[in-house]
Amino acid sequence: MRFADRPEAGRRLGARLRQLRDRDMVVLGLPRGGVPVAAEVAAALDAPLDVCLVRKLGVPYQPELAMGAIGEDGVRVLNADVLRGTGVRDDELARVEERERRVLAERAERYRGECPSVPLTGRTAVVVDDGVATGSTARVACRVARARGAARIVLAVPVAPRDVARRLGGDADDVVCLETPWDFAAVGQFYDDFTQTEDAEVTACLRRARRRRPGAGSTEREVTVPAGAVRLGGSLTLPEGATAVVAFAHGSGSGRHSPRNRQVAEGLHRAGLGTLLFDLLTDAEARDRNNVFDIPLLAERLLAATHWLRAEPVTSGLALGYFGASTGAAAALWAAAEGHPAAVVSRGGRPDLAAPRLPEVTAPTLLIVGGADPLVLDLNRDAQTRLRCENRLETVPGATHLFEEPGTLERVTELARDWFADHLAPAHV
């Protein structure tokens, strides 16, 4: 198999990876040659694109031969066989690494500019290059993604040696490769056009990806929400021009890194809605399972986040919504009676745990339940009879309580997006 150029290789690779499309993922291209490939993969998967900054450590007198590689966050991988075979001394290795770390820092500023890196915590990272030779660079890229919090790592390349899995040493959870030829000598031999990728092409690919995905232009920052005597960690994301923000109340002891809620949040970002994902409990509190079901306590924390959002300069003029899951949905409904959000969405919620407060809720409320979750479905039907506000119950066919079935969480995202779009308006005009 031969490839006309890197974009064509990326389109073929994207077609092979389509089974990943429904996952909460980020595509990471290795600059420079891997980014045009990764851009096509990201487009095929409708996923955000970012760079994974790594640098090869070339043998001093033979720079194309990798004796190792380095990446962001101080990650380093050395190829013991190459070091032994070439006799490179420790001081020579140190000089090469110092030079390459300077280049790494310069490229981070050049490629990303003022745009933050795309968050990886709890997500699938698809690491893409134009090919694998020694495997050192790919291994470092996988380790960088792991250090940044990726829950699963897939290395995807058009071409690699037959022993690519051995060369990676288990740093990737999955390896997808279109071609592993018996006569592999170098990546470039399998491309008709293997012209060196310039920095301008890398930045152009990233700009196009941000334009393709409105949510990719969002600003995300880590925040601290004061709640009485405790401080709760959170992530506040605001797409450019956002007119509303949705506070997430996680359920069953999960926190702001919940992959399901992050997937829903990303769908809201694409619709221009901001989100606050924060921990309702401190680490110490979460160890006590009784706190997970202390709905008044969870609601108190959500109200604290409500007050914080309404006081913060960047969010004070935005309409506010609540999105709750499982026990977090009960907290959202309990808090809604006092916090008066503009809209509430419950996913697989336990509204029965907020039964005393349901008649006091005034915000339009959408209850989403899996069609294959009969107990929770009955609880939500009963809750509807107690609600006095505008409300609707939507069932997702075939979905169980956690909405793990293919396509079910995407349906939740669509329903939540449409409900918030219909009911959230700016707090101030």
Side-chain angles (χ1 to χ4, degrees):
M1 179 184 293
R2 290 188 64 81
F3 307 101
D5 54 19
R6 292 181 178 89
E8 193 253 352
R11 288 189 287 274
R12 292 195 197 180
L13 191 58
R16 173 72 68 85
L17 292 165
R18 283 192 181 277
Q19 74 274 10
L20 298 178
R21 188 179 172 92
D22 292 336
R23 298 190 188 180
D24 181 19
M25 79 185 96
V26 179
V27 177
L28 301 173
L30 274 66
R32 290 180 286 190
V35 176
V37 182
E40 298 295 336
V41 171
L45 301 181
D46 190 26
L49 173 68
D50 198 0
V51 288
C52 187
L53 292 164
V54 299
R55 290 289 293 174
K56 177 171 65 179
L57 299 177
V59 173
Y61 55 84
Q62 193 178 349
E64 289 304 311
L65 178 60
M67 56 184 173
I70 58 171
E72 296 178 279
D73 302 319
V75 177
R76 180 178 78 161
V77 173
L78 297 179
N79 188 317
D81 293 338
V82 173
L83 287 170
R84 189 165 43 249
T86 57
V88 175
R89 302 190 308 271
D90 289 346
D91 62 316
E92 293 175 316
L93 172 62
R95 282 196 295 273
V96 172
E97 181 173 352
E98 182 181 2
R99 182 181 68 246
E100 296 302 334
R101 286 214 176 273
R102 287 197 299 269
V103 175
L104 198 70
E106 292 168 359
R107 288 195 172 175
E109 183 176 356
R110 185 181 311 152
Y111 296 152
R112 292 201 181 108
E114 296 181 357
C115 295
S117 58
V118 179
L120 297 184
T121 302
R123 309 170 89 174
T124 295
V126 182
V127 178
V128 178
D129 204 355
D130 53 14
V132 167
T134 66
S136 295
T137 303
R139 290 188 69 184
V140 170
C142 292
R143 291 187 183 187
V144 168
R146 191 83 69 188
R148 289 177 55 196
R152 188 165 188 80
I153 296 172
V154 178
L155 178 72
V157 293
V159 62
R162 292 198 166 190
D163 63 345
V164 59
R166 180 188 67 80
R167 297 187 185 214
L168 290 174
D171 284 312
D173 297 303
D174 290 301
V175 178
V176 176
C177 183
L178 299 180
E179 186 74 6
T180 54
W182 64 269
D183 59 341
F184 183 96
V187 173
Q189 78 184 92
F190 300 96
Y191 285 83
D192 295 331
D193 179 2
F194 201 62
T195 307
Q196 180 172 309
T197 303
E198 301 297 333
D199 285 337
E201 185 176 355
V202 173
T203 55
C205 286
L206 294 171
R207 280 197 306 270
R208 286 195 296 270
R210 285 193 290 268
R211 287 197 299 268
R212 177 177 55 81
R213 295 175 56 83
S218 303
T219 58
E220 177 171 350
R221 63 185 176 98
E222 295 299 300
V223 298
T224 301
V225 178
V230 302
R231 298 293 182 268
L232 306 171
S235 298
L236 177 67
T237 303
L238 293 176
E240 185 176 354
T243 58
V245 61
V246 177
F248 277 64
H250 309 285
S252 303
S254 64
R256 69 184 187 274
H257 301 309
S258 160
R260 293 181 184 86
N261 281 343
R262 290 192 70 90
Q263 183 173 336
V264 174
E266 187 174 305
L268 299 185
H269 300 159
R270 290 196 292 271
L273 298 169
T275 60
L276 172 67
L277 282 76
F278 75 108
D279 298 325
L280 293 172
L281 300 170
T282 66
D283 290 342
E285 290 171 336
R287 284 193 285 271
D288 182 351
R289 290 294 294 174
N290 290 327
N291 289 327
V292 175
F293 294 93
D294 188 342
I295 304 305
L297 172 63
L298 301 181
E300 178 184 306
R301 300 293 168 80
L302 182 55
L303 285 170
T306 300
H307 299 323
W308 181 83
L309 285 167
R310 287 174 172 160
E312 278 291 292
V314 294
T315 53
S316 60
L318 305 183
L320 176 64
Y322 291 164
F323 181 96
S326 190
T327 54
L333 289 165
W334 190 291
E338 182 178 336
H340 303 294
V344 176
V345 173
S346 161
R347 171 180 69 83
R350 290 289 309 276
D352 56 300
L353 298 177
R357 290 295 185 92
L358 293 181
E360 302 172 40
V361 176
T362 58
T365 298
L366 174 65
L367 306 170
I368 306 174
V369 185
D373 190 10
L375 176 60
V376 173
L377 184 55
D378 286 343
L379 293 174
N380 277 260
R381 284 172 175 154
D382 181 66
Q384 268 198 298
T385 67
R386 300 170 182 267
L387 288 169
R388 301 290 179 264
C389 58
E390 175 189 349
N391 65 83
R392 192 169 85 222
L393 174 64
E394 287 278 356
T395 59
V396 178
T400 52
H401 187 61
L402 295 180
F403 295 85
E404 296 176 304
E405 295 72 22
T408 57
L409 201 54
E410 287 69 25
R411 180 57 180 156
V412 170
T413 303
E414 293 171 359
L415 291 167
R417 177 200 64 203
D418 293 346
W419 189 261
F420 286 131
D422 288 343
H423 294 92
L424 294 185
H428 303 294
V429 179

